[in-house]
Amino acid sequence: MLVGMLAARKNPKRRATRLRDPERTRERLLQAASREIYRSGFQSASLDTILASAGVTKGALYYHFKNKEALGYAVIEEVISPDVRGTWVQPLESVKDPIDALISIVQDLSVRPEDVCGGCQLNNLAQEMSPLDAGFRKRLEIIFDAWREATASVLREGQIHGNVRRNVEPADAAGLLIAMVEGYGSLAKNAQDPKVIKAGIKNIVGWLRSLRAPGNRKRG
Amino acid sequence: MLVGMLAARKNPKRRATRLRDPERTRERLLQAASREIYRSGFQSASLDTILASAGVTKGALYYHFKNKEALGYAVIEEVISPDVRGTWVQPLESVKDPIDALISIVQDLSVRPEDVCGGCQLNNLAQEMSPLDAGFRKRLEIIFDAWREATASVLREGQIHGNVRRNVEPADAAGLLIAMVEGYGSLAKNAQDPKVIKAGIKNIVGWLRSLRAPGNRKRG
DNA sequence: CTGCCAACATACCAACCAGCATGTAGCGTA
DNA sequence: TACGCTACATGCTGGTTGGTATGTTGGCAG
């Protein structure tokens, strides 16, 4: 301690004077953590890499978060959850035709070429951490449940208004849709070929059309 | 070096005299590596843990494999690939009704309660390593391709024999089936609830039945 | 102008990591 | 019985990890 002081005095190297904006610092940390977790997984994303990517020092990190685990939890709740909500839940609120709405969402998944779909980040983290850490699992399950419930709900409403076939079980169909999206996301990520996700979207859309109530088909 | 020699002579601790069966040692390493990679991912699976699980020392590991990466590659080629082949390729060879055969395979996926399905190990590794390491990606893609091709092939034959609807594209359907299986595997792994995989199997089977050619429906 | 505290910055640490250098036991061979 | 080589066993190391202890500064209250 004394040595450190003396050294600091002897060699007054320029200190990194930073933002002094705690909210912004926290947000930068979350975004950087999200990026690095997406790149290499939670366990393999090193704090030093995250900090470098965020342009933030370790002291700032541990001022805002108790530890790496807490940072991961915050990424789920404050980055991934809003993203899934924005992609899959909010667009379904107060729509006329649920099938059309779902098709529209699915087709929009291809616009982001690199990160095949935001849902994949959810899937990545779930695959990696759910068996290892109950805290991750619970938080991720909440997102999955919201996704499934929003989809099932809109399908139920569609059944009431006669847009959706009565013999589909909304909860089952919602689960199947999510499984398809996640599954194709995996395949596309592995193939690293946008053609895979395009083909997947085509197939998912075809399946979604098959849910439409007879006499309610739009085209063809 | 000299110190080590002297110490060894001074304190002749019992040396671990092991198998002396190189094939078996190698196999134990592969199995242990497969287990640990399944548990915590390739990057986070430490060699020491793998070695402890295998009951093998580090010298033996580095005698049989150049490095950790090579061990991972070997797990793909000598553990995962045969597993997928045994589950999804061989059962499809010379079957009468492809739909029945696929349904049978899918329904058998539920018998293993803990590790939801062997395909998930494939999916896990693909999700984790494909974006990071081309060697992993290529080897995993070979497995995916074989899986998809075997499925597509059996569907094509089914179309010739009139068991499968002519308006399904075998390659597309095969891809969709794989996506469904992997997707439900993900959901089940995250939910950690066998009910999820049961529901998934039910839905996949329902979809498979929809591929059957008209006039060829078995029951109902 | 001064104290004080939030918001960091820096230096450091023990634990762990993959990998390597070196030693050696057992078995086949002559 | 001696030799040699395969198949390991063991000890070590430099680098990295998450985490902490302590120093420092901008800005605001008084």
Side-chain angles (χ1 to χ4, degrees):
Chain A
M1 35 178 155
L2 208 117
V3 180
M5 271 181 66
L6 289 177
R9 287 197 194 285
K10 245 191 276 189
N11 178 16
K13 63 172 74 170
R14 188 106 35 180
R15 291 203 146 244
T17 295
R18 295 305 170 96
L19 291 173
R20 280 277 155 187
D21 182 344
E23 284 187 42
R24 214 172 125 65
T25 300
R26 194 186 147 89
E27 186 62 23
R28 290 176 68 115
L29 276 169
L30 285 175
Q31 292 300 327
S34 171
R35 279 198 302 273
E36 293 305 315
I37 290 172
Y38 185 72
R39 278 169 51 102
S40 44
F42 175 78
Q43 298 176 98
S44 299
S46 92
L47 288 182
D48 288 338
T49 310
I50 292 171
L51 293 172
S53 167
V56 163
T57 61
K58 203 168 271 192
L61 167 64
Y62 278 91
Y63 176 79
H64 287 283
F65 300 97
K66 189 194 162 199
N67 51 23
K68 191 187 181 188
E69 190 181 55
L71 178 62
Y73 291 172
V75 166
I76 296 178
E77 290 169 339
E78 300 177 42
V79 179
I80 297 179
S81 179
D83 188 49
V84 173
R85 176 173 296 270
T87 304
W88 287 97
V89 177
Q90 281 168 359
L92 291 180
E93 287 168 3
S94 66
V95 293
K96 284 179 297 184
D97 187 315
I99 306 289
D100 281 346
L102 288 171
I103 287 176
S104 169
I105 295 175
V106 169
Q107 280 175 336
D108 281 352
L109 292 179
S110 68
V111 298
R112 285 179 279 183
E114 248 279 300
D115 52 57
V116 192
C117 65
C120 288
Q121 199 175 6
L122 172 67
N123 192 25
N124 289 353
L125 216 49
Q127 285 292 308
E128 180 189 2
M129 297 306 297
S130 280
L132 299 178
D133 184 299
F136 276 90
R137 202 189 69 76
K138 265 189 161 178
R139 277 158 240 256
L140 292 166
E141 194 171 27
I142 290 172
I143 302 178
F144 274 115
D145 284 347
W147 184 1
R148 177 162 32 218
E149 181 46 36
T151 308
S153 167
V154 83
L155 288 175
R156 267 193 296 271
E157 272 192 62
Q159 286 179 325
I160 293 172
H161 295 112
N163 298 322
V164 177
R165 275 173 33 210
R166 295 288 160 84
N167 63 336
V168 311
E169 185 62 43
D172 279 2
L176 184 52
L177 174 62
I178 294 172
M180 286 177 179
V181 171
E182 297 291 10
Y184 267 118
S186 300
L187 293 185
K189 187 172 175 184
N190 187 64
Q192 295 207 324
D193 187 349
K195 272 190 289 187
V196 172
I197 195 71
K198 297 259 183 187
I201 287 172
K202 199 189 72 182
N203 284 321
I204 295 175
V205 167
W207 174 79
L208 281 170
R209 289 219 179 92
S210 79
L211 300 183
R212 232 194 275 278
N216 215 284
R217 324 241 162 197
K218 288 289 168 79
R219 36 193 168 274
Chain B
M1 36 178 153
L2 208 118
V3 180
M5 272 181 66
L6 290 177
R9 288 197 195 286
K10 248 191 274 188
N11 178 18
K13 63 171 74 170
R14 188 101 37 178
R15 288 202 150 245
T17 295
R18 295 304 170 93
L19 291 174
R20 278 277 152 187
D21 182 343
E23 283 187 41
R24 216 172 124 63
T25 300
R26 195 186 146 89
E27 185 62 24
R28 290 176 68 116
L29 274 169
L30 285 174
Q31 291 301 326
S34 170
R35 279 198 301 273
E36 291 307 314
I37 291 173
Y38 185 73
R39 278 170 49 105
S40 44
F42 175 77
Q43 298 176 97
S44 298
S46 93
L47 289 183
D48 288 338
T49 311
I50 292 171
L51 294 172
S53 166
V56 163
T57 61
K58 203 167 269 193
L61 167 66
Y62 278 91
Y63 176 79
H64 287 284
F65 300 97
K66 188 193 163 199
N67 52 23
K68 192 187 180 188
E69 190 182 55
L71 177 63
Y73 290 172
V75 166
I76 296 178
E77 291 170 338
E78 300 177 42
V79 179
I80 298 179
S81 178
D83 189 48
V84 173
R85 177 172 294 271
T87 304
W88 287 98
V89 178
Q90 281 168 0
L92 291 181
E93 288 167 2
S94 67
V95 293
K96 284 179 298 184
D97 187 312
I99 306 291
D100 281 347
L102 288 171
I103 288 176
S104 169
I105 295 175
V106 169
Q107 281 175 336
D108 282 354
L109 292 180
S110 67
V111 298
R112 285 180 279 183
E114 248 278 303
D115 52 57
V116 192
C117 66
C120 289
Q121 199 175 6
L122 173 66
N123 193 24
N124 289 353
L125 217 48
Q127 284 292 311
E128 180 188 2
M129 297 306 297
S130 280
L132 300 179
D133 184 299
F136 275 90
R137 202 189 68 77
K138 265 188 161 178
R139 276 157 241 258
L140 292 166
E141 195 171 27
I142 289 172
I143 301 178
F144 274 116
D145 284 347
W147 182 2
R148 176 162 33 217
E149 181 46 36
T151 308
S153 167
V154 84
L155 288 175
R156 268 192 295 269
E157 273 191 62
Q159 287 180 323
I160 293 172
H161 295 111
N163 297 321
V164 177
R165 273 172 34 208
R166 294 290 160 85
N167 63 337
V168 312
E169 187 62 43
D172 279 1
L176 184 53
L177 174 62
I178 293 173
M180 286 178 179
V181 170
E182 298 291 10
Y184 266 119
S186 300
L187 293 186
K189 188 173 173 183
N190 187 65
Q192 295 208 325
D193 186 349
K195 272 190 290 188
V196 173
I197 196 70
K198 298 259 184 188
I201 288 172
K202 198 188 74 181
N203 284 323
I204 296 176
V205 167
W207 175 79
L208 281 170
R209 289 219 180 91
S210 78
L211 301 183
R212 231 194 275 277
N216 214 288
R217 324 241 163 197
K218 287 292 168 76
R219 34 192 172 278

